[in-house]
Amino acid sequence: MRLRWIALAAVVVVAAVYVYYTYTQFAGLQGYVSDETWYAPAAYNILTQVFGYNESMSYPYPNASGISTYLNLEHPPLVKYILALSIAALGYYPLAWRLPGWIVGGAAVVLAYLTGYELLRDRGEAAAVLAGAISAVALIFDPNFWALHGIAMLDAYAGFFALLALYLLVSERRLASSIALGLAFAAKETTFPLLLPYLYYIGELEDKPLKRLTYAVFIPAAVYVALSAPLMVYLGGPVAWFKDSFLHMMSWDVTSGHIAGNAESQISTPWGWFLDIHPFYLGQNLYARVNVAVMWLWAILTPVAVLLKDKKLVIAALFPWSMWAGLAAAYALGNTTLFSFYVADFSPMVDVFAGSAVVAALAAWDERGRRSRRRGSPSRV
């Protein structure tokens, strides 16, 4: 038990250094970086127009048509609310709309350790601590999450809340995990496919179908709707919101053409991410690169988790696979303009699974070797 807390304290210190280093690398970036062009103004507009908060425009809007009334209705609202709170506290400046992502990045490092530990807790404290430590290190060196958590985009938030839902689920904190799943849904719609593996695993914890549906569907949906309520009021009611936001989002996600400038050369495919083909250029010398080694470990070790009959590891693999499959389905349905930065939506879970599965596989191999040696040793008289 002592080893666990020493390791956690060390990870918290490392996470703080990670946040500080993020600050040194991203605080000086001038202007809007990549899709900050849309999310930062949308957060400001929601703050001032939806919530009626009096915040002066201390930084100019980007040069984009209709930007002064743009609310980014093609994506869920949670991240814009978070950015709006920061803008209300600090003013409309790049620091204000980036700072929450830096905090989320540090929190994700600690959460990666806790999730890795929880996944291997039944295999002994040493294995659990090692899994947690490797998971945290894998996330720290995740190039996609690094680039995306440093700027004001939705993807790092989606990755964080998805990982939080996974951690709370495998910790058997049903209500908390259900709320976290709703927060993930409200961060970005790429997390919607998590419903399927969540339903599968909650079935291992709850026998009654109604309770399964409550935790997997009703509570997350209630969280999503509650967070959307201000937009419903602003747009004229639930029906108008459903049409102008939710249905618009669903249509947007299966439609090609979400590109600007020379971005055609940066379009990538879900299978191309395993080879880091066409990493998206975010600007300011930032690329949404993919850690190919970790992605392949995820693919290779998923059947190993099944062979080990480890339900926690299996669900840790299925959570990111469901999101990857959802993006592949969007491609099949007509949206062929996908980009590598979507990987940040699920890469924290990939990092944790890969780190934990490596330790689990080595522990199983060692245990198998010891059993074999015991069977082969001569009996004593």
Side-chain angles (χ1 to χ4, degrees), residues 6 21 25 38 43 54 84 87 97 135 152 163 179 184-185 207 219 223-224 230 248 281 302 344 356 372 375:
I6 291 174
Y21 185 67
Q25 299 301 303
W38 307 110
N54 184 19
I87 291 168
W97 65 66
S135 298
L163 181 60
I179 293 171
F185 289 169
D207 293 331
I219 293 175
V223 171
Y224 189 98
H248 172 54
Y281 182 59
T302 295
S356 302
S372 179
R375 286 196 299 268

Side-chain angles (χ1 to χ4, degrees), residues 257-269 277-281 336-339:
H258 313 317
I259 53 178
N262 63 348
E264 292 91 342
S265 62
Q266 299 180 69
I267 294 169
S268 57
T269 61
I277 295 173
H278 295 165
F280 189 85
Y281 182 59
T336 57
T337 51
L338 301 181
F339 305 105

